[in-house]
Amino acid sequence: MRASSQGVTVVALLADPDVPTEIAQRLAQTLPARLADKSGEGRRFDVEVVSEPFTAGTEDLSTLMRRIMDRGTAENWDIVVALTDLPLHSNGRKLVVDLSHEHGLALLSLPSLGGLRLQNRALRAVEEAVLGLAGPQATGAEGPPQSQPLLGPFAHRFAPIHPGPVGAEETADLRYVVSGLRGYLRVLVGMVRANRPWRLVPGLSKALAAALATGAIATLDSTTWSLAGALSAPRLVTAMVGSVGLMIGWLIVDGELWHRSTEGSPEARQRARLYNTSTVVTVGIGVLVCYVGLLVINLAWALFILNDRVFASMTRTPLDATEYLTLSWFVASVATVGGALGSGLERDEAIRAATYSKREQERRQTLQDDHGDQSSN
C-alpha cells in the first residue's frame, strides 16, 4: 500500500483543462469516501485536483507517463491519476488506461470510456485504478505486478476493454485498450462528446445572424410560399439533407477542420480517419441543432406575421397547420444555406473553438505549427 507517513494516501487527479478538469472536480467530491470504504482497514485518502495541460505537444505514451511521474515526484504525491480528453493510441489500438504500479501512476483517456454516463464510468475507472495502484506490491521476476487481478473487474465492467501489450522499456507495466468496431465506436462517441457539438450554436454568431435574416425574409416572400406548397415530402427531405450537408462541408473546408496526416504509417492514417470522422459527426450534430432551432423560430415567425387571406389569395391554398409546417421546413433549409454563406464571415479560430474541445484545439494548432515549420525548412 502506497501511503504517506501520516497514514493518508494522497491521490492527485492531474487533469487537462476543460472537460477533464470538470470531471476531476466532481470526482474529488465523492472519491475519498468511496476509496476509504472499499479499501477498508481504516485507510484514508486525500484527493487533490490539479488542472494543467500535461498533454501539450505530444501524444506519445512514454513521454506522457514520464511527465506524470516527474510531476508526481516534484509534489510528493502517493498516486497520480492523469485525465485527458485526447484519444491516445498504442500499437494501433485505442488506449483506455496506462498503469505503473511501481511509480503509482495512471493515465486515463476519457474518450475510450464512451460518451454515455461518462461521469459514472470515469468514477469507476479512477476508483479501480487507485485501488489497484494502492494495493500491496508483489512483483515477480518477470511480467506485470501480481496486483493485476485487482483490476480484473476493470476490463469486465467496461467491455470491450481488454489488456494490451506493454513494451519492456516503458514506464507502464499494465495497459488496457479497446479494439474492433465496438471499441472504435466507443472512442468516436467519446470524442464527439468531449467536443460538445451543441456549442456550435452560440459559437457561430455571424452565421446564425445570416440564417435568421434569410429565414425572416424568405417567410414573407410569396414565391417561397408557392415553392413550399409545390414540393413533395421527398423533395423537402432532399432540400433539408442538401442544405445541412452544404453547411457541414462549408464549415469544415472554410474552417480548415480536415486533418491531413503527414505520416504514411497505417496507424497515422487510422488516427486521421478517427479525427476526421469525429469532426464530421461533431459539426453534423451542431448543424442539425441549428437547423431544428431555425425551423422552430421560422414557425413562430410565420404564425406571427402571415395573414391567411393574403396567403390564400397568392397560393390558392388555405393557410392551415400543414402549410405552416411545410413553409417553415422549406424556409429552414433556405436559411441554412444562408447560414453557410454567413459562416464565411467567421474567423477560423471561432469555428474551431465552437467545434473542438480545448485539448483538441491545441493539438491541431501544434500539428499545424509543426507542418508549417517543416514546409519552411
Side-chain angles (χ1 to χ4, degrees), residues 66-88:
R66 284 195 298 271
R67 286 183 180 179
I68 299 167
M69 180 172 63
D70 293 342
R71 191 72 173 86
T73 301
E75 297 291 341
N76 199 30
W77 293 321
D78 298 308
I79 294 175
V80 184
V81 179
L83 307 177
T84 181
D85 56 359
L86 279 184
L88 301 175

Side-chain angles (χ1 to χ4, degrees), residues 309-328:
R309 285 179 295 179
V310 174
F311 185 91
S313 66
M314 298 296 294
T315 64
R316 303 293 187 270
T317 304
L319 185 59
D320 53 19
T322 301
E323 294 299 324
Y324 274 118
L325 289 173
T326 301
L327 176 63
S328 301

Side-chain angles (χ1 to χ4, degrees), residues 269-281:
R269 290 195 295 269
Q270 184 186 50
R271 285 200 303 266
R273 286 195 297 269
L274 181 62
Y275 290 136
N276 289 329
T277 303
S278 71
T279 296
V280 172
V281 175

Side-chain angles (χ1 to χ4, degrees), residues 19-74:
V19 174
T21 296
E22 295 173 5
I23 290 176
Q25 289 172 342
R26 288 193 290 268
L27 292 179
Q29 298 175 7
T30 59
L31 196 57
R34 290 175 63 95
L35 291 172
D37 181 63
K38 293 196 174 185
S39 62
E41 301 180 6
R43 294 171 176 170
R44 292 185 298 153
F45 293 83
D46 184 16
V47 177
E48 301 177 7
V49 176
V50 178
S51 178
E52 62 182 53
F54 70 92
T55 58
T58 186
E59 296 178 44
D60 179 66
L61 297 180
S62 298
T63 301
L64 292 176
M65 289 296 282
R66 284 195 298 271
R67 286 183 180 179
I68 299 167
M69 180 172 63
D70 293 342
R71 191 72 173 86
T73 301

Side-chain angles (χ1 to χ4, degrees), residues 48-377:
E48 301 177 7
V49 176
V50 178
S51 178
E52 62 182 53
F54 70 92
T55 58
T58 186
E59 296 178 44
D60 179 66
L61 297 180
S62 298
T63 301
L64 292 176
M65 289 296 282
R66 284 195 298 271
R67 286 183 180 179
I68 299 167
M69 180 172 63
D70 293 342
R71 191 72 173 86
T73 301
E75 297 291 341
N76 199 30
W77 293 321
D78 298 308
I79 294 175
V80 184
V81 179
L83 307 177
T84 181
D85 56 359
L86 279 184
L88 301 175
H89 298 78
S90 171
N91 299 317
R93 299 177 178 88
K94 287 79 177 173
L95 177 79
V96 180
V97 65
D98 257 2
L99 297 154
S100 172
H101 292 78
E102 178 183 357
H103 303 287
L105 309 176
L107 170 61
L108 179 63
S109 177
L110 294 173
S112 297
L113 300 180
L116 302 176
R117 297 182 289 109
L118 179 59
Q119 187 68 39
N120 290 334
R121 288 180 174 179
L123 175 61
R124 298 204 308 269
V126 172
E127 186 178 284
E128 293 280 358
V130 172
L131 291 175
L133 295 173
Q137 298 294 293
T139 307
E142 296 181 358
Q146 295 179 14
S147 59
Q148 176 174 343
L150 289 174
L151 287 178
F154 190 96
H156 173 71
R157 289 182 180 181
F158 304 111
I161 295 174
H162 54 85
V166 182
E169 298 181 356
E170 294 190 60
T171 304
D173 50 42
L174 182 59
R175 172 172 295 151
Y176 284 97
V177 297
V178 292
S179 57
L181 179 60
R182 287 179 61 197
Y184 178 88
L185 293 176
R186 179 188 287 267
V187 174
L188 178 61
V189 172
M191 291 176 66
V192 172
R193 187 192 187 283
N195 290 335
R196 294 187 285 191
W198 52 87
R199 298 187 305 180
L200 193 67
V201 178
L204 300 177
S205 57
K206 295 183 178 66
L208 287 175
L212 290 172
T214 302
I217 295 172
T219 302
L220 300 176
D221 183 48
S222 59
T223 303
T224 304
W225 302 348
S226 300
L227 282 174
L231 291 177
S232 61
R235 288 192 173 187
L236 288 170
V237 172
T238 301
M240 178 184 69
V241 173
S243 62
V244 169
L246 177 63
M247 183 71 160
I248 293 172
W250 182 258
L251 285 174
I252 291 176
V253 172
D254 188 55
E256 299 180 357
L257 306 181
W258 197 256
H259 174 71
R260 294 178 176 84
S261 175
T262 57
E263 304 175 23
S265 65
E267 185 172 343
R269 290 195 295 269
Q270 184 186 50
R271 285 200 303 266
R273 286 195 297 269
L274 181 62
Y275 290 136
N276 289 329
T277 303
S278 71
T279 296
V280 172
V281 175
T282 298
V283 176
I285 292 175
V287 171
L288 284 174
V289 172
C290 291
Y291 188 93
V292 172
L294 287 172
L295 193 153
V296 173
I297 292 173
N298 289 329
L299 178 59
W301 173 242
L303 288 170
F304 173 76
I305 202 68
L306 294 184
N307 182 278
D308 55 349
R309 285 179 295 179
V310 174
F311 185 91
S313 66
M314 298 296 294
T315 64
R316 303 293 187 270
T317 304
L319 185 59
D320 53 19
T322 301
E323 294 299 324
Y324 274 118
L325 289 173
T326 301
L327 176 63
S328 301
W329 188 2
F330 178 64
V331 168
S333 299
V334 175
T336 300
V337 175
L341 298 175
S343 68
L345 302 175
E346 300 280 4
R347 294 180 297 110
D348 291 348
E349 294 80 2
I351 296 176
R352 296 190 190 101
T355 306
Y356 295 121
S357 67
K358 189 171 183 179
R359 291 289 89 220
E360 182 70 356
Q361 293 175 51
E362 293 184 358
R363 185 193 68 79
R364 287 176 172 261
Q365 185 60 49
T366 299
L367 291 176
Q368 185 178 8
D369 293 343
D370 290 344
H371 182 66
D373 293 340
Q374 292 173 5
S375 299
S376 62
N377 293 334

